[in-house]
Amino acid sequence: MCGRVKLGLYECPVPYKRVLSPELLAWCVGTGRFLFHKDTCCDKQQMTAKLAAVKEVGSAGADFRFFNANVETLQFTTAGGAAGFSGISANFYPHLHAWMVRAMQSEQYKEDVDSIRAQVEEVQDFFSLAELTVCINYPASAKFYLREHYSVPLSTYCRKFKPQPVFSEQDQIRIEAMFRTQRKLSQRLNIAEHQPKVPPPP
């Protein structure tokens, strides 16, 4: 029974950096047991080597998917064949990540219809700049963001911070500016913004 269970891989980003070599990743893919890999190396050269190694596995890796956790290199890895994104900023504006990956995998992107490449680059620029704000007291920042802008009833309590983190006035200004910027970008590019499902009050 255990031999039929499909598995996923998640490289350890902190507190100890533990990443897979291209050779080990290819071996895992070749077993047919692994369907998902969350890559946290944040290094273009390493990710290129891993994607190439996975491709060489062939049909044994047909169901395997490589996901990048480093948003600053999302455009780079998606162009190189990665399946998508699995990182912390997806807790803030998942609609932008989903749009960007779908856009880059479309025929319109290959043919550069309606300057879609310029739009993708603009979204990538937003990701790269906004990540510094995303990381303020994360994961409490994600809870704060969802509570303040989508009325999700969350506290900022999390195991990482004891006591609960304090968001300074400057932190709140940055988070608010990030929200306004992503909303304007979404509206201008006609990207539908997903609204979190808020549970009804007890």
Side-chain angles (χ1 to χ4, degrees):
M1 179 65 180
C2 291
R4 295 196 296 270
V5 175
K6 299 300 183 181
L7 304 172
L9 299 163
Y10 175 16
E11 293 180 330
C12 182
V14 291
Y16 309 104
K17 193 77 167 176
R18 299 287 186 268
V19 299
L20 300 176
S21 67
E23 295 76 17
L24 182 54
L25 180 59
W27 179 87
C28 292
V29 174
T31 67
R33 294 284 307 280
F34 295 87
L35 301 182
F36 173 89
H37 170 69
K38 179 173 179 175
D39 196 272
T40 68
C41 73
C42 307
D43 182 275
K44 286 184 176 182
Q45 186 173 356
Q46 287 187 55
M47 287 186 283
T48 298
K50 289 176 184 178
L51 287 166
V54 167
K55 195 171 184 180
E56 290 177 4
V57 173
S59 59
D63 295 327
F64 176 81
R65 298 294 181 268
F66 183 106
F67 283 77
N68 185 1
N70 177 238
V71 78
E72 290 90 344
T73 54
L74 178 57
Q75 183 179 5
F76 174 80
T77 52
T78 305
F85 178 68
S86 181
I88 64 176
S89 59
N91 292 298
F92 294 77
Y93 26 79
H95 59 290
L96 288 177
H97 301 89
W99 175 87
M100 180 171 169
V101 172
R102 283 197 300 264
M104 291 189 68
Q105 294 172 346
S106 69
E107 290 300 319
Q108 290 89 342
Y109 183 83
K110 296 174 185 176
E111 299 171 6
D112 197 19
V113 175
D114 296 329
S115 302
I116 194 169
R117 289 177 183 266
Q119 294 175 3
V120 165
E121 187 169 309
E122 187 174 2
V123 173
Q124 178 62 73
D125 287 345
F126 168 76
F127 288 157
S128 299
L129 292 172
E131 192 70 0
L132 292 174
T133 301
V134 164
C135 290
I136 296 172
N137 292 333
Y138 182 85
S141 57
K143 294 182 173 188
F144 180 84
Y145 185 88
L146 293 172
R147 185 184 71 198
E148 296 299 312
H149 298 295
Y150 296 100
S151 300
V152 179
L154 292 170
S155 76
T156 55
Y157 175 82
C158 53
R159 289 179 297 171
K160 185 177 180 181
F161 301 103
K162 295 181 180 180
Q164 294 186 53
V166 174
F167 290 90
S168 69
E169 183 178 9
Q170 289 74 28
D171 293 337
Q172 294 181 48
I173 289 171
R174 293 186 186 100
I175 292 171
E176 174 66 25
M178 182 177 72
F179 171 76
R180 290 198 308 270
T181 303
Q182 73 83 11
R183 174 155 282 183
K184 290 176 184 176
L185 179 62
S186 300
Q187 290 173 346
R188 186 159 48 78
L189 299 183
N190 198 28
I191 302 171
E193 184 176 359
H194 299 312
Q195 297 292 327
K197 292 183 179 180
V198 180

